[in-house]
Amino acid sequence: MPKIVIENLYHKEIYTKAPDRKVIELIHENNVDWMHACGKKGRCTTCMMIVNEGMENLSEPTDREEYFRKLGRLKENQRLTCQARLQQGTIRIKVNEMYKFPHMDYSE
C-alpha cells in the first residue's frame, strides 16, 4: 500500500489504496494543509516537497518540473506535489522551510 511520511509534520503517515495519484491530492484528502499558490497547475513551486527517501516510487518528472529544474528553482531531491504521482511504496518528504504555513505546528 503506497504511503507518504511527512517528516517535519511529526512523521505524519498517509496511506492510499489507489496508486498513481498526485501527492498533493493524497495530502489534502487527509486534511493536511499544503501550499499551492497556483491552484495545483504546475505554474509555481510553492507546493514543492523535499524528497528524503523513495524518489523511485514517484512518477517521472513532468515537463513543468523539468522547466523549473532548468531555472534552478527545483533541486534533484525536490518535486512538485501537484505534478508527482505516488505509484508505489513509501516516500519520506518534508515541507520546504519557505513554504510552511504560520498556522501549523511543524516538527524538526
Side-chain angles (χ1 to χ4, degrees), residues 1-103:
M1 179 181 302
K3 177 172 83 169
I4 300 168
V5 178
I6 307 173
E7 294 179 339
N8 58 352
L9 278 177
Y10 298 95
H11 298 274
K12 169 85 174 155
E13 294 184 358
I14 297 171
Y15 295 88
T16 181
K17 292 181 181 178
D20 203 37
R21 302 268 320 281
K22 289 184 178 182
V23 173
I24 199 163
E25 292 170 354
L26 297 170
I27 290 170
H28 284 164
E29 287 170 8
N30 284 272
N31 301 312
V32 175
D33 275 347
W34 195 279
M35 178 77 71
H36 58 96
C38 73
K40 306 177 195 174
K41 294 181 174 78
R43 295 183 182 150
C44 68
T45 58
T46 60
C47 74
M48 182 255 291
M49 62 180 159
I50 300 167
V51 182
N52 290 330
E53 202 174 292
M55 188 72 81
E56 69 278 3
N57 295 323
L58 296 170
S59 58
E60 291 295 315
T62 64
D63 291 343
R64 296 304 302 160
E65 289 175 297
E66 292 297 342
Y67 170 76
F68 286 118
R69 262 209 191 110
K70 286 178 186 169
L71 293 178
R73 292 179 57 190
L74 275 183
K75 296 177 185 171
E76 287 301 314
N77 68 331
Q78 298 172 334
R79 295 288 305 272
L80 299 180
T81 61
C82 75
Q83 300 292 298
R85 294 177 172 275
L86 179 56
Q87 297 180 317
Q88 63 188 7
T90 299
I91 58 170
R92 300 183 71 78
I93 65 173
K94 282 186 166 185
V95 180
N96 187 303
E97 191 67 35
M98 69 177 136
Y99 299 130
K100 288 181 177 178
F101 284 120
H103 68 277

